[in-house]
């Protein structure tokens, strides 16, 4: 009996040791996998001058979440564009989005409840089947090796882009509500273009920016958004509603561009 007790006491610590070892091994494998998954496709380098000190910092980019009012889904782009033309003069964006068909998007909202409410109102008043088209894209985490000022510029450019895009999106609804005139909207669009121009020009000066996955994607969105705001600031639309529709189109386009950019970064 005495020997049995000793053997039992030895067996328990041995089993516990094996269990702890197994758990620690599994944890190490999990952490290694997690660490590898977090780093894979999320590290990038930006060219610098030979004399510029390089640092590695993490940049977190916020995801995109918005809700569009859709006027229907069509089999071809031509059908969708013909139908979209019915709504653009009345303040709708008439944006055509291809995704398993062609959707006509009229406006975009930050809250799903707002998009649902508007979709229901249009369905009742126009006798067409409106629905909500969700736009959801997760954020991205990037470990960027570059000059400190370059990393700061990337953060500033991305923040400025989102800020000015929200302002442009709100301008359309202010026009719809009669809170501002077309002239005021054009002036504010020119201001938005001006705000975008500074980080845009700075990004262009980064060596190899166009070819760089992070800089190039952001640069392309900024250039397109800047051009659209500049053109809209000189737009001679017949009515405020017509101008409002073009502003909505611009806002929807920049949101999808940002979403596509995040998707590309996460797939690197």
């Amino acid at each position: 009996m005495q020997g049995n007790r000793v053997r039992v006491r030895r067996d328990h610590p041995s089993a516990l040791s094996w269990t702890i070892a197994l758990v620690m091994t599994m944890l190490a494998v999990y952490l290694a996998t997690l660490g590898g998954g977090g780093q894979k496709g999320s590290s990038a380098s930006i060219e610098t001058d030979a004399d510029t000190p390089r640092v590695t910092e993490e940049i977190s980019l916020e995801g995109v979440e918005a809700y569009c009012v859709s006027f229907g889904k069509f089999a071809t782009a031509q059908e969708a564009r013909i139908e979209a033309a019915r709504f653009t003069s009345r303040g709708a964006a008439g944006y055509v989005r291809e995704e398993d068909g062609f959707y006509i998007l009229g406006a975009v909202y930050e809250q799903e409840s707002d998009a649902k409410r508007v979709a229901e109102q249009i369905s009742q008043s126009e006798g067409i089947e409106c629905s909500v088209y969700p736009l959801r894209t997760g954020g991205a985490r990037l470990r960027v090796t570059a000059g400190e000022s370059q990393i700061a510029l990337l953060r500033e450019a991305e923040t400025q882009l989102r800020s000015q895009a929200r302002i442009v999106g709100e301008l359309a609804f202010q026009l719809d509500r009669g809170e501002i005139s077309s002239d005021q909207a054009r002036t504010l669009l020119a201001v938005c273009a001006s705000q975008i121009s500074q980080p845009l020009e700075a990004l262009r000066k980064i060596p190899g920016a166009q070819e760089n996955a992070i800089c190039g994607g952001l640069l392309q969105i900024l250039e397109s958004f800047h051009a659209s705001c500049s053109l809209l600031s000189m737009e001679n639309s017949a009515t405020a509603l017509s101008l409002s529709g073009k502003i909505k189109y611009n806002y929807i386009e920049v949101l999808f561009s940002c979403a596509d950019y995040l998707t590309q970064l996460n797939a690197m």
Side-chain angles (χ1 to χ4, degrees), residues 206-236:
I206 292 179
Q210 293 282 2
E211 293 75 29
N212 186 277
I214 297 174
C215 294
L218 184 57
L219 188 55
Q220 186 175 2
I221 299 171
L222 283 166
E223 286 177 337
S224 177
F225 185 54
H226 179 267
S228 297
C229 288
S230 297
L231 287 172
L232 285 171
S233 70
M234 298 180 286
E235 173 68 33
N236 190 22

Side-chain angles (χ1 to χ4, degrees), residues 168-247:
V168 167
E170 183 56 30
L171 280 180
F173 294 122
Q174 289 176 325
L175 266 175
D176 292 345
R177 296 190 295 262
E179 296 172 359
I180 59 174
S181 66
S182 295
D183 286 342
Q184 289 171 323
R186 283 189 281 265
T187 299
L188 291 170
L189 285 163
V191 172
C192 287
S194 176
Q195 292 295 318
I196 288 292
S197 63
Q198 185 174 352
L200 174 58
E201 289 302 321
L203 269 179
R204 284 173 175 159
K205 293 176 182 176
I206 292 179
Q210 293 282 2
E211 293 75 29
N212 186 277
I214 297 174
C215 294
L218 184 57
L219 188 55
Q220 186 175 2
I221 299 171
L222 283 166
E223 286 177 337
S224 177
F225 185 54
H226 179 267
S228 297
C229 288
S230 297
L231 287 172
L232 285 171
S233 70
M234 298 180 286
E235 173 68 33
N236 190 22
S237 297
T239 64
L241 282 178
S242 178
L243 178 59
S244 171
K246 291 173 182 177
I247 295 173

Side-chain angles (χ1 to χ4, degrees), residues 75-88:
T76 67
Q78 184 179 7
E79 289 178 296
R81 291 193 183 102
I82 291 172
E83 188 66 17
R86 293 177 49 204
F87 301 100
T88 52

